[in-house]
């Protein structure tokens, strides 16, 4: 690896120019306005003090700018990772507030380290274990979990539960103790945000705004809700409404975790899950944005970028960060040309931390809850289940299982159940490949499935085609299947296996082929192979079986059938 | 499922005749002589009283005769399952002898139930997750573990450890307290058994024995060792030698487990592992023997047969049983025609239990240890590691990992590590399929890899072939790979994906294809598909993407390239 391949910024920093600077600055303004309420809200969702969300929105942007490969990516706290972090830290800390904070930071540090190691090993493929139905189900169910979890804050009752069911029950039980003032603020904010998202652009266009001005005003809708609710609480002295309280105006400090080794070990699995889920979202966003400008991202470089961002977050006392979908799209639409836009955004958040936070003391939790609810409902893909049901029942089952387990047993259990199911279902599919007895299409040299085509057979020679590489999950199936075919056709003297669809033969399958050869021989049937691909034949040559089978491998299937007939 | 398919015996019982009866009776005599010392020895290896080995050698043979599908299979206690049972029951019981016995029986009951459920679901494929290198490594390492574990009994010192390392250390530490008399008996028995195995048949042939008589005398070698050592202990009054002691001459009793539900749950995973390992050995033996007589076995029927055998074992107070390799081969070679031979063997063991066991009181543990050591050393395949190394480094790695983990951390950890590694390695292989940019071989309609053949390209049209089905592990790889190809060839207007090697497209890959289509479109490149297989096209027709891609799917690759050029 050359040094330049470690630093994603080497691809744009040398060419940085005044036009890019102007575009990046403008994009940074829009994203900063969007990020301030989001950072505060997601920190609360993660169970952390509001200012931690601000910390997690500065250093990571700088680290990503140095190491990442996507031009318009905006990293920071996102909803799903915040929920996962809250659950993992909560289970670990068991009510100890200081330990909870430690755990949240350590989750980011471990996740970052794991992503960097995967990037160095160029092993980003592990994220591929998160199939589309599993990620889709996981995100939708998590969004539902988050939205329901915020209903308590929205109306001013305490309703916390680890599972969907517990939360709903707690909400019902505490329904009588709703704080009417809080509920009024929360519901008003919710309606405002929903209406702004639905009709905002339309209305702004009608009053003549366009381009960047429209974008900035549109993105400021949550800021309006925040300002109005702060004013309401301050002016009307609504003391019963739970607010954010005093936010320290300190700069982020270096954080030194004081956790013992056992704690790091306990947090390892949830940290890896959070990091991988974040990586999948980041790569997905990165691809989409890069393609729009005919650029490319490198997934292994993204591992380094996102890993560095998480380490940077943790080092400055922030928590797990991800390349967020909505903020990256906003960054892109606002014209960001390079990750320098992220650096300027970090500067904007820094200014906000220093000068705006004193004004946020009276910001109601209910307003932030409304922000979160509107944001996460946008994450749910309502069409996905129907699409999966029509396309593939197996993929639908993976989706449904993930959704159900997330809602019943929590986010980690859900993602693990989904991945295990997907892998087992894939292995099951591989373990029973499509197989066909083939015959010659008269007048041609082609062999086709006897069930689909009118074909002619050679007496005493059975031809079989297997449409899958031979791996251990189907090695024993192959033994059963070939011996079955030979036994079911009395008078068979030779069995020719057409290998044109076989890209690999692993050691288990090799052992099975040897056994098949031996067992067929015991039945008086000789095994032949035809159309073995070059790399497969090269590998077979390394086995001691090759000496015996070598003379029974034919180049084309027709040749091989003739050879078998000759040798009878 | 018809009733007859539940009972494997329906295939032979109605035709049972006098010739078969004679053959089966003779085979039963040979196998009984072989099984008596083995049953006692393996019971001690499993940490159980010697008579439990006898119990496990009766009822299971009857149950298998009713439900199994292999004609010459002999089920009963085997070495590896005995070791696994000892470890699992030991960890569960933590020194409580009564609980240890309960656990051993419950392991057989759970394992049997799981096998039957898998058989009913026709889900025997889960056993395929145990790849050949993993099973080979597991059996070899377990055999080593067993052999070393028996050294203590062989020389009369206590040396128990769960791992290889612990056992070796214990042996060294207790070396000074060797019992010389025991060691003499043990070593003499070992040498006798080894010599009998190596030269026995040769010598017996030279003195004129042949056929069945030779087989019976040869198989009686362990019986000779047992008789001689009992005589030595009795006549010379060697009281310092540890012996089997009084064996009850009771018939096996019905066993009612008094274990709580939590215990069953704790024992579930080890029970499944023992059952699956046993199933793999049983099916493998069954295939080999059936082929020699041009018969077939049905793996799902074997699940029922082996499951019933384990249940029967547990119900009568026995422990986990398996279709053993050596005893089945002996049964076969001695002429067994049907599982009725097993029924007669069970009768033989019953007679031994009633009338011979009083004679076994003075049987030294050292003699049984020698029997076990000789038996398990025969299980080790010394050629396997070299063969795997030459054939496939990945399979060798799976083998080595399994061996090392079995020796360092125990049998269960080893098998789990091996399976997880094999599955991840397979997913890694699937996640990076072989891909080639293809061009037309001049003068033909064939398209081949541009790196291997001299081919001609069409300006602005890139042709790509992927040699693997599209599943979630390679879905994101596909996005990266195709966008990379398009970006690396400036001036590309169309990309044609040749799908002749693609047997499946799952929902994740469909999503990726849609994204590729979209992202390529954003780059000014149009995606085409060619040679899509029938079933794949049928499934694609269920997606909403089909409407858009339908007109860009071509029958042959050449046609599709021409279509793409036309549309440019």
């Amino acid at each position: 690896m050359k040094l330049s391949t470690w630093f994603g910024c080497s691809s744009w920093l040398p060419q940085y120019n005044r036009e890019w600077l102007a575009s990046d600055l403008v994009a940074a303004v829009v994203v900063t306005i969007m990020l301030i309420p989001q950072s505060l809200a997601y920190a609360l969702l993660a169970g952390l003090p509001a200012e931690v969300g601000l910390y997690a929105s500065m250093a990571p942007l700088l680290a990503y700018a140095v190491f990442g490969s996507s031009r318009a990516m905006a990293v920071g706290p996102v909803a799903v990772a915040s929920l996962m972090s809250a659950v993992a830290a909560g289970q670990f800390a068991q009510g100890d507030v200081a330990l909870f904070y430690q755990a949240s930071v350590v989750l980011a540090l471990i996740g970052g380290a794991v992503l960097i190691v995967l990037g160095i090993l160029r092993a980003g493929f592990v994220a591929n274990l998160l199939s589309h139905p599993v990620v889709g189900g996981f995100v939708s169910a998590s969004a539902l979990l988050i939205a329901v979890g915020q209903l308590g804050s929205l109306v001013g009752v305490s309703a916390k539960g680890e599972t969907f069911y517990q939360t709903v029950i707690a909400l019902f039980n505490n329904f009588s103790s709703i704080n009417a003032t809080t509920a009024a603020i929360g519901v008003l904010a919710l309606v405002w945000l929903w209406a702004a998202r639905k009709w905002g652009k339309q209305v702004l266009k009608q009053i003549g705004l366009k381009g960047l001005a429209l974008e900035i005003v549109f993105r400021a809708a949550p800021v309006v809700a925040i300002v109005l609710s702060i004013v309401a609480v301050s002016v009307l002295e609504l003391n019963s409404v739970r607010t954010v309280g005093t936010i320290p105006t300190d700069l982020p400090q270096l954080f030194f975790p004081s956790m013992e080794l056992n704690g790091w070990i306990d947090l390892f699995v949830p940290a890896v899950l959070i990091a991988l889920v974040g990586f999948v979202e980041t790569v997905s966003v990165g691809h989409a944005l890069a393609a729009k400008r005919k650029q490319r991202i490198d997934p292994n470089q993204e591992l380094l970028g996102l890993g560095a961002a998480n380490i940077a977050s943790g080092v400055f006392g922030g928590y797990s960060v991800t390349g967020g979908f909505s903020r990256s799209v906003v960054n892109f639409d606002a014209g960001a040309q390079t990750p320098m836009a992220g650096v300027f955004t970090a500067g904007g958040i820094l200014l906000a931390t220093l000068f705006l936070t004193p004004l946020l003391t009276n910001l109601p939790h209910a307003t932030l809850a409304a922000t979160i609810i509107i944001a996460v409902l946008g994450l749910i893909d309502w069409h996905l289940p129907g699409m999966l049901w029509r396309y593939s029942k197996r993929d639908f089952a993976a989706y449904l299982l993930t959704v159900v387990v997330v809602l019943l047993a929590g986010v980690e259990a859900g993602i693990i159940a989904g991945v295990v199911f997907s892998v087992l279902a894939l292995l099951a599919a591989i373990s029973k490949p499509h197989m066909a007895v083939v015959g010659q299409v008269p007048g041609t040299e082609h062999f086709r499935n006897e069930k689909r085509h009118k074909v002619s057979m050679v007496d005493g020679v059975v031809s079989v085609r297997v449409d899958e590489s031979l791996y251990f999950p189907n090695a024993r199936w192959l033994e059963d299947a070939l011996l079955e075919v030979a036994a079911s056709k009395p008078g068979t003297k030779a069995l020719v296996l057409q290998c044109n669809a076989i890209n690999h033969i692993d050691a288990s399958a090799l052992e099975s082929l040897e056994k098949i050869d031996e067992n067929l021989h015991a039945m008086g049937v000789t095994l032949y192979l035809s159309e073995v691909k070059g790399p497969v034949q090269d590998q077979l040559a390394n086995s001691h079986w090759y000496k015996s089978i070598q003379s029974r491998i034919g180049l084309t299937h027709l040749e091989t059938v003739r050879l078998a007939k000759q040798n009878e």
Side-chain angles (χ1 to χ4, degrees), chain A:
Chain A
M1 252 173 145
K2 275 188 297 181
L3 199 66
S4 65
T5 67
W6 286 77
F7 296 99
C9 59
S10 63
S11 69
W12 54 266
L13 198 53
Q15 291 96 47
Y16 204 73
N17 56 40
R18 204 176 295 177
E19 286 93 68
W20 285 1
L21 176 68
S23 301
D24 287 346
L25 269 172
V26 171
V29 171
V30 180
V31 175
T32 305
I33 289 172
M34 177 188 179
L35 277 198
I36 293 171
Q38 274 198 7
S39 304
L40 301 170
Y42 291 151
L44 294 183
L45 175 56
L48 295 164
E51 67 269 20
V52 178
L54 297 171
Y55 300 164
S57 302
M58 291 184 262
L61 284 164
L62 305 184
Y64 184 85
V66 175
F67 294 100
S69 73
S70 167
R71 294 291 179 90
M73 183 70 67
V75 297
V78 305
V80 174
S82 297
L83 172 69
M84 291 179 81
S85 176
V87 170
Q91 277 171 353
F92 179 80
Q94 299 289 341
D96 179 333
V97 175
L99 197 58
F100 185 98
Y101 176 59
Q102 289 265 340
S104 303
V105 178
V106 167
L107 284 168
L109 290 173
I110 297 175
V114 167
L115 291 175
I116 289 174
V117 168
L118 290 176
I120 292 172
L121 298 177
R122 311 192 80 72
F125 75 85
V126 294
N128 299 350
L129 294 184
L130 298 168
S131 69
H132 181 60
V134 170
V135 172
F138 173 74
V139 168
S140 296
S142 300
L144 215 57
L145 211 55
I146 293 170
V148 170
Q150 292 299 312
L151 286 179
S153 298
L154 193 79
V155 297
V157 301
S158 144
K160 288 233 159 185
E162 253 174 42
T163 67
F164 190 72
Y165 177 76
Q166 287 169 1
T167 310
V168 170
I169 293 295
L171 265 178
F172 269 95
N173 288 346
N174 301 334
F175 199 72
S176 53
S177 58
I178 275 187
N179 180 311
T181 324
T182 304
I185 294 176
V187 170
L188 278 176
L190 196 69
V191 171
W192 159 253
L193 290 172
W194 180 74
R197 171 173 278 219
K198 198 164 168 77
W199 295 302
K201 286 214 170 170
Q202 216 173 315
V203 170
L204 291 174
K205 271 184 198 158
Q206 281 179 355
I207 63 170
L209 280 181
K210 57 188 172 184
L212 194 68
L214 183 148
E215 188 69 23
I216 293 179
V217 175
F218 177 67
R219 293 293 158 193
V223 176
V224 172
I226 283 173
V227 171
L228 288 180
S229 54
I230 292 174
V231 169
V233 170
S234 308
V235 172
L236 304 176
E237 292 185 17
L238 306 173
N239 294 328
S240 71
V241 173
R242 197 162 157 238
T243 61
V244 168
T246 311
I247 300 177
T249 55
D250 301 337
L251 286 178
Q253 306 284 311
L254 280 182
F255 173 86
F256 298 98
S258 59
M259 188 175 285
E260 286 178 20
L261 183 63
N262 272 341
W264 294 73
I265 293 171
D266 287 348
L267 291 169
F268 188 79
V269 170
V272 169
L273 287 180
I274 296 171
L276 286 183
V277 169
F279 174 62
V280 169
E281 182 170 359
T282 306
V283 168
S284 172
V285 174
H287 272 315
L289 297 183
K292 286 192 187 172
R293 293 208 186 121
K294 306 198 183 191
Q295 294 162 347
R296 298 277 309 127
I297 63 159
D298 170 1
N300 287 305
Q301 192 67 45
E302 287 305 283
L303 283 168
L304 292 183
L306 190 60
N310 272 290
I311 297 274
S313 184
V315 165
F316 287 100
Y319 71 108
S320 300
V321 296
T322 300
F325 183 72
S326 54
R327 69 188 62 182
S328 299
V329 171
V330 168
N331 196 29
F332 181 90
D333 287 345
Q337 295 295 325
T338 74
M340 195 57 89
V343 176
F344 299 143
T345 304
I349 306 267
L350 180 67
L351 293 176
T353 307
L354 293 178
F355 303 112
L356 287 182
T357 46
L359 306 174
L360 300 174
T361 310
N362 282 337
L363 170 58
H365 276 198
T367 311
L368 292 177
T371 314
I372 295 175
I373 291 172
I374 292 297
V376 297
L377 289 183
L379 295 177
I380 300 178
D381 181 349
W382 302 100
H383 300 295
L384 186 59
M387 186 279 256
L388 291 173
W389 173 260
R390 279 188 302 278
Y391 186 72
S392 153
K393 299 296 175 284
R394 185 193 298 150
D395 281 306
F396 178 78
Y399 171 86
L400 191 66
L401 178 76
T402 309
V403 169
V404 169
V405 177
V406 166
L407 293 183
L408 293 185
V411 285
E412 277 176 35
I415 209 159
I416 289 173
V419 168
V420 169
F421 177 87
S422 310
V423 169
L424 287 181
L426 174 60
L427 292 174
I430 293 176
S431 80
K432 285 191 185 167
H434 179 250
M435 188 185 87
V437 173
V438 296
Q440 191 173 8
V441 182
T444 75
E445 299 196 353
H446 293 300
F447 283 74
R448 291 282 183 277
N449 191 342
E450 62 164 358
K451 288 190 186 145
R452 297 206 188 179
H453 299 82
K454 228 184 166 170
V455 293
S456 67
M457 299 296 198
V458 176
D459 251 14
V461 181
V462 179
S463 293
V464 174
R465 193 189 72 222
V466 173
D467 288 338
E468 184 77 74
S469 289
L470 303 180
Y471 293 119
F472 66 90
N474 56 35
R476 285 187 198 89
W477 165 88
L478 188 72
E479 293 180 42
D480 297 341
L482 293 192
L483 294 179
E484 187 66 47
V485 167
S488 71
K489 310 225 169 188
T492 301
K493 298 270 186 254
L495 190 151
V496 188
L497 180 63
Q498 191 182 13
C499 303
N500 58 334
I502 295 171
N503 301 312
H504 293 280
I505 297 180
D506 75 3
S508 301
L510 173 70
E511 158 91 3
S512 288
L513 283 171
E514 283 191 62
K515 274 199 212 159
I516 290 165
D517 190 15
E518 217 170 90
N519 292 342
L520 283 176
H521 183 72
M523 295 167 75
V525 179
T526 312
L527 176 69
Y528 292 83
L529 306 181
S530 77
E531 303 183 10
V532 179
K533 294 192 176 185
V536 174
Q537 183 137 1
D538 292 349
Q539 201 181 9
L540 280 182
N542 293 324
S543 74
H544 64 95
W545 184 53
Y546 191 65
K547 252 187 243 161
S548 127
I549 191 75
Q550 192 176 8
S551 62
R552 291 178 277 142
I553 301 180
L555 207 58
T556 74
H557 194 73
L558 185 62
E559 272 175 38
T560 321
V561 169
R562 283 183 184 149
L563 175 72
K565 189 72 193 164
Q566 231 167 41
N567 291 348
E568 231 177 52

